[in-house]
Amino acid sequence: MPDVTTPYAQGTPCWIDLMVPDQQAALDFYRDLFGWQGEIGPPETGGYSVCMLRDRPVAGIMTAMNPDGSRPDPPPPPVWTTYLATRDVDAAGAAATEGGGTLVMPPMDVMDLGRMAVVQDPTSAVFGLWQARDFPGFGVSGEPGAVVWSELNTADTDTAADFYGSVLGIAASTMKGAEGYFSLNVDGTTVGGMQGLDQLGPDVPSHWLTYFAVDDVDSTVDALVRAGGFVLKPPFDMMAGRMAVVQDPQGAPFALIAPVPPEAA
């Protein structure tokens, strides 16, 4: 993948980050699992770490903190947050509110890097908005160790489709050969997927799920378990490849997938 130097198209997943009780433990875990490089950042950035894969930004990890800099007690459940690109975060935040969403974190500047907000959609899935300035987001994706897919699992696919369409111009369409699954499209390009919670079982809340590409799902799951992680759904084969759903040692869920090569799909 060539280096990314310009903002992603509006509605495209462009970044992920993780808030955890133990930042250094998370940095060590993902370094060993995916080969990421990262260290705790300076105090002026709240210690935020931009993790690199082959010298390109791939994800952020930070310590869970309250707005005043104190540690929450108890800390919130660790979760990977998906950020969707927007040309104007203030306008998108206003549209999200008008569309039935809730601003969890109102628009704010992140130094000269960009402007962000965090939103809960009408079905209760939480995501971020990112208006790029000096930092577009992912410098690498779709390669082993990097994000390859972003998926909205929602209690109401119709409501979610209307919401993301009105806020960011994302179009949902049924995916051929995958009953109950929808592609999320930006300007005719598929940028993610969506499915109802009925596909996942009882008591699962609406959420965005991050998929990381790997060469071998089974061996990666074995390594994750040895490092203290947990398996939510053991490796299985599906139309897009072989995948598993797992948690890191601090409880953040994510998916692993060895994608089927395009010529074999």
Side-chain angles (χ1 to χ4, degrees), residues 52-65:
M52 311 292 282
L53 180 65
R54 294 181 287 279
D55 298 321
R56 291 176 288 181
V58 67
I61 295 177
M62 69 178 297
T63 301
M65 291 188 295

Side-chain angles (χ1 to χ4, degrees), residues 179-193:
E179 184 177 353
Y181 202 88
F182 301 82
S183 63
L184 299 177
N185 311 295
V186 170
D187 297 330
T189 299
T190 298
V191 299

Side-chain angles (χ1 to χ4, degrees), residues 10-246:
Q10 177 161 291
T12 304
C14 64
W15 190 242
I16 55 166
D17 62 18
L18 173 67
M19 289 203 307
V20 286
D22 190 333
Q23 182 184 17
Q24 188 60 60
L27 291 170
D28 293 343
F29 171 79
Y30 288 99
R31 175 199 63 209
D32 294 343
L33 193 69
F34 294 140
W36 295 358
Q37 297 299 314
E39 59 186 26
I40 295 174
E44 58 265 28
T45 67
Y48 193 95
S49 174
V50 175
C51 298
M52 311 292 282
L53 180 65
R54 294 181 287 279
D55 298 321
R56 291 176 288 181
V58 67
I61 295 177
M62 69 178 297
T63 301
M65 291 188 295
N66 292 316
D68 63 3
S70 62
R71 297 285 187 94
D73 186 19
V79 63
W80 282 103
T81 298
T82 297
Y83 288 78
L84 304 178
T86 177
R87 293 184 293 270
D88 185 331
V89 74
D90 295 85
T97 301
E98 292 170 4
T102 303
L103 280 178
V104 178
M105 182 183 294
M108 60 176 286
D109 290 324
V110 183
M111 301 181 291
D112 294 329
L113 301 176
R115 190 162 170 79
M116 66 164 285
V118 178
V119 178
Q120 185 178 59
D121 75 21
T123 75
S124 297
V126 174
F127 66 100
L129 292 167
W130 182 250
Q131 179 184 340
R133 291 174 180 160
D134 291 347
F135 184 73
F138 297 127
V140 56
S141 63
E143 298 180 9
V147 174
V148 68
W149 189 247
S150 299
E151 179 181 84
L152 173 61
N153 295 282
T154 175
D156 188 329
T157 53
D158 289 338
T159 295
D162 289 343
F163 174 80
Y164 289 95
S166 65
V167 174
L168 294 166
I170 300 172
S173 59
T174 55
M175 185 171 281
K176 185 178 179 180
E179 184 177 353
Y181 202 88
F182 301 82
S183 63
L184 299 177
N185 311 295
V186 170
D187 297 330
T189 299
T190 298
V191 299
M194 178 177 69
Q195 64 179 343
L197 295 180
D198 56 308
Q199 306 290 322
L200 303 181
D203 303 322
V204 177
S206 298
H207 64 281
W208 281 86
L209 181 65
T210 295
Y211 285 63
F212 295 104
V214 295
D215 288 320
D216 186 317
V217 169
D218 296 77
S219 64
T220 304
V221 167
D222 289 344
L224 174 137
V225 171
R226 290 195 300 270
F230 308 92
V231 178
L232 300 178
K233 193 166 186 178
F236 65 99
D237 294 315
M238 39 86 82
M239 64 180 292
R242 187 164 177 79
M243 67 168 287
V245 182
V246 297

